[in-house]
Amino acid sequence: MTTLDINGQRKSVDTVQETPLLWVLRDELGMCGTKFGCGMALCGACTVHMDGQPIRSCITPISALEGKKISTIESMESDRVGKVVQAAWVELGVAQCGYCQGGQIMTAVGLLKTNGKPTDKQIDEAMSGNICRCGTYPRIRAAIKLAAQRLQGAK
Ligand code: FES
Ligand code: FES
């Protein structure tokens, strides 16, 4: 039995320690906002936060997570930065098919929590590991900039 702290709640899961967090979230806990894309840390669809830092849940075994705070896309509406980012996403109509967007938002929130005023280059670098087959990159960048302005109280 492993106890995980997910979105501020303690969850006990009875699964082998090598199991990637992604499958515990989706299959054991029914939290399907975190997506499976590649399973090899290449696409970013499975991004969650561990102690506030974006990580790839498809390659992170639950054995690495005891005592850590995990946040998923499901908690972003109650996160100060996450809420603003999601509102910017909606306002600018960022999503196309939507599949990659949970991971995109988690990476964007991670960026804005460490850099409140990112340049285009810093946004592109931070987001480079999140792939969007629909090509929504320009709108993602615009939404991150809008969210940054809102968080600074400028707009
Ligand atoms: S599913 Fe984890 S990075 Fe692609
Ligand atoms: S919105 Fe379709 S994969 Fe990104």
Side-chain angles (χ1 to χ4, degrees):
M1 191 72 82
T2 306
T3 303
L4 300 172
D5 179 334
I6 298 177
N7 299 340
Q9 294 187 335
R10 290 172 70 77
K11 303 278 187 188
S12 294
V13 291
D14 189 12
T15 186
V16 294
Q17 291 277 300
E18 295 77 20
T19 309
L21 173 63
L22 175 62
W23 301 118
V24 170
L25 291 173
R26 292 183 59 88
D27 294 347
E28 305 289 325
L29 302 175
M31 298 169 70
C32 295
T34 306
K35 305 299 189 204
F36 170 72
C38 63
M40 295 187 289
L42 298 172
C43 75
C46 67
T47 305
V48 300
H49 291 179
M50 180 182 75
D51 290 343
Q53 296 296 317
I55 61 163
R56 304 298 190 234
S57 64
C58 69
I59 55 153
T60 306
I62 57 169
S63 59
L65 299 175
E66 276 193 271
K68 308 285 187 189
K69 288 187 188 309
I70 307 302
S71 306
T72 71
I73 188 68
E74 284 86 356
S75 69
M76 287 300 102
E77 64 186 3
S78 52
D79 179 281
R80 185 183 72 87
V81 176
K83 209 171 168 172
V84 174
V85 168
Q86 285 186 317
W89 242 248
V90 171
E91 191 170 324
L92 298 187
V94 173
Q96 196 160 319
C97 82
Y99 195 84
C100 73
Q101 299 291 324
Q104 303 278 7
I105 287 171
M106 294 306 287
T107 302
V109 171
L111 167 64
L112 290 173
K113 284 188 176 182
T114 55
N115 179 356
K117 208 175 173 183
T119 62
D120 284 359
K121 188 163 179 278
Q122 288 168 333
I123 291 173
D124 291 347
E125 276 170 9
M127 303 304 295
S128 64
N130 285 76
I131 309 300
C132 176
R133 64 190 167 190
C134 300
T136 61
Y137 304 111
R139 293 202 298 269
I140 287 171
R141 191 203 274 168
I144 291 172
K145 292 175 90 158
L146 177 59
Q149 287 170 353
R150 293 262 162 84
L151 288 161
Q152 291 165 58
K155 219 174 173 185

